[in-house]
Amino acid sequence: MPTPSGSGTTDPTPARPAADASGPEPAAECAEGPALPEPRPESVGYSAVFAVREFRAVFVAHLLSMLGEVVCGIALSVLVYRATGSPLLSALAFAFALLPYVIGGTLLSAVADRYPARRVLVVCDLASALCVAAMVVPGMPVGLLLVLRCVPAVISPVFSGTRAATLGDILGKGDLFVLGRSVIRLTAQGAQLAGFAAGGLLLTAVSPRAVLAITAASFVASALVLRLGTRRRPARADGRRGALLGDSLRGIRQLAAVPRIRALFLLNWVPPTFVVMSEALMTPYSDGLGLGSTGLGLLMCGMPIGALVSETLAGTLLGPAGRARLTLVVAVLCMLPSLGYVFEPSFGWALALQVATGCGMSYSLGLDQWFIAAVPEELRGRAMTLLTAGLMTAQGLGMAAAGAVAEVAPVHLVVTAAGVSGTVCSLLVVVMVRRGNTPGRPAPLET
């Protein structure tokens, strides 16, 4: 694996050209560090992102696979519950979609750089389709169903990291990359809302196994779109150097050795860890209010709606400099709405607090630009894979911690404590980010 060129906070290697003539030129990078580049004279917005042909293919594939993933979780949970009558095993059908992320994100991260990106994306989609198709087999033991559920979760961070790194090739490293990442996040939030609704409707008309068959077809369709709609690009690193496991771990050590990159990893992981705690406790909280399933469903929709609205507005109305100025502030403030739970809010106020908490996730827009500028290109795939795996694992641990504490303390006080703890921890991470530097020289942030 090639060593990173230059220091950890600068990347002198220019971004690869976009996929076609409609793609953007790579944005200029600040020689002092990963501060955001100056906005380009022309207007850059979401419409400019969709003007890039290759990005449109990535977007369609992402939409197909996300809808399939959400629907798969619902169908498998119902299938397991009908077979066993066990709420625990039914819940594990969802949990096993998150917990194995850490395995793929750490042990297989080098795949994203050692092999051509298009090949990795297509193989990951087809492997997921094969696992879901196997779930359709009648009489499949529940234990094997859960094992099959784990395999796509191991693959998923490799897929997500490779796709995120490829966006840098397609869109460059400037504002189009930031908005492209934003579209991917917005699609995930929207697919979560639409997927739950679609899954529920499908299960009223067909069996869970039929829904799983549809899910497998969606992964195949995603693979086909990526194969035909994106260009083949060479691998970023030499895939013949060393064992895959050793290469993955070496890449992680190289990334972790740079204070600037370490701090940016933490800024990506810490706020969401505490933000999801209130969401994880919405079921017992709504039960305490005497709400039915409709009320719970609305509370669960609050955070995704806030994230969708705020990120869309920030991406549309603010330029790179404006988003950069808000990044650190919003990262610290996004947990403050949780403090309102100290008053045991009614349904309306709780919904407003959930929406406000979701709005804080727009801090990721400015953070994306800093991160891609800080990571050397030959480690970009590994960095994005580790970023995804760490985020999913941190959120899972945050949910588990909130649930454990809520076993011995009132739910509203647990959510309040999460808000306080998250604000303090995020403030400490922000201090680390501001102090991040190259050897002997600070790497300034644009704030």
Side-chain angles (χ1 to χ4, degrees):
M1 178 183 64
T3 55
S5 55
S7 66
T9 58
T10 59
D11 183 3
T13 307
R16 300 187 186 188
D20 54 30
S22 63
E25 292 298 324
E29 214 173 301
C30 178
E32 291 297 317
L36 287 174
E38 290 298 318
R40 294 198 243 172
E42 69 270 20
S43 175
V44 174
Y46 287 115
S47 59
V49 175
F50 282 100
V52 181
R53 178 184 58 80
E54 273 195 286
F55 179 79
R56 293 197 298 271
V58 172
F59 168 76
V60 171
H62 177 55
L63 183 61
L64 288 169
S65 60
M66 273 302 305
L67 287 172
E69 174 62 29
V70 174
V71 171
C72 176
I74 298 173
L76 185 60
S77 177
V78 171
L79 184 63
V80 170
Y81 186 73
R82 289 180 181 176
T84 65
S86 168
L88 173 61
L89 292 176
S90 177
L92 288 178
F94 286 106
F96 281 5
L98 294 178
L99 297 178
Y101 261 70
V102 68
I103 300 174
T106 54
L107 304 184
L108 303 178
S109 62
V111 169
D113 291 315
R114 285 167 60 122
Y115 302 98
R118 186 176 69 178
R119 184 191 307 169
V120 173
L121 295 174
V122 170
V123 169
C124 285
D125 261 341
L126 293 179
S128 296
L130 185 62
C131 288
V132 177
M135 298 177 190
V136 181
V137 177
M140 183 72 67
V142 170
L144 188 52
L145 285 173
L146 294 177
V147 170
L148 289 170
R149 179 64 163 153
C150 288
V151 176
V154 173
I155 296 171
S156 189
V158 178
F159 180 90
S160 299
T162 304
R163 181 185 58 210
T166 301
L167 288 181
D169 299 327
I170 295 173
L171 300 173
K173 292 185 179 180
D175 199 39
L176 282 183
F177 171 81
V178 174
L179 294 178
R181 285 271 290 169
S182 174
V183 168
I184 295 299
R185 280 193 300 271
L186 292 173
T187 303
Q189 295 282 2
Q192 186 176 19
L193 295 172
F196 282 133
L201 290 174
L202 283 171
L203 286 170
T204 64
V206 297
S207 69
R209 283 192 169 84
V211 175
L212 289 172
I214 295 172
T215 297
S218 74
F219 282 120
V220 173
S222 173
L224 186 63
V225 170
L226 290 169
R227 177 62 181 81
L228 299 178
T230 61
R231 288 178 52 190
R232 184 189 184 279
R233 293 178 173 84
R236 289 184 177 82
D238 186 353
R240 296 169 296 180
R241 289 192 58 186
L244 177 62
L245 175 59
D247 199 5
S248 298
L249 295 178
R250 278 195 300 273
I252 292 172
R253 285 196 296 269
Q254 284 184 276
L255 293 167
V258 182
R260 170 72 175 182
I261 297 176
R262 277 203 313 270
L264 291 176
F265 270 125
L266 289 175
L267 190 58
N268 272 286
W269 295 338
V270 170
T273 300
F274 292 93
V275 162
V276 299
M277 289 185 177
S278 64
E279 191 174 40
L281 296 177
M282 279 302 98
T283 297
Y285 188 78
S286 66
D287 184 62
L289 293 179
L291 302 177
S293 57
T294 301
L296 172 60
L298 289 173
L299 286 178
M300 294 297 289
C301 287
M303 199 175 291
I305 288 173
L308 280 167
V309 171
S310 65
E311 188 155 344
T312 301
L313 290 176
T316 303
L317 301 179
L318 299 178
R323 295 194 295 266
R325 282 191 290 270
L326 290 177
T327 296
L328 299 183
V329 175
V330 176
V332 173
L333 298 182
C334 64
M335 269 75 64
L336 290 183
S338 295
L339 301 184
Y341 279 90
V342 72
F343 301 109
E344 293 189 75
S346 62
F347 167 74
W349 285 109
L351 179 59
L353 291 175
Q354 290 303 102
V355 172
T357 302
C359 288
M361 290 298 93
S362 59
Y363 87 98
S364 298
L365 280 165
L367 182 57
D368 282 339
Q369 183 60 63
W370 296 342
F371 191 78
I372 194 174
V375 174
E377 184 173 355
E378 57 267 38
L379 293 176
R380 188 192 300 165
R382 270 161 279 202
M384 292 297 186
T385 300
L386 183 61
L387 184 70
T388 301
L391 177 61
M392 300 303 289
T393 303
Q395 288 179 317
L397 292 174
M399 291 179 176
V405 177
E407 289 287 328
V408 296
V411 171
H412 71 285
L413 293 182
V414 175
V415 177
T416 304
V420 174
S421 303
T423 301
V424 172
C425 291
S426 296
L427 184 59
L428 294 175
V429 173
V430 163
V431 172
M432 291 176 60
V433 171
R434 293 185 65 85
R435 290 179 177 174
N437 55 66
T438 58
R441 183 179 66 182
L445 291 173
E446 184 179 348
T447 58

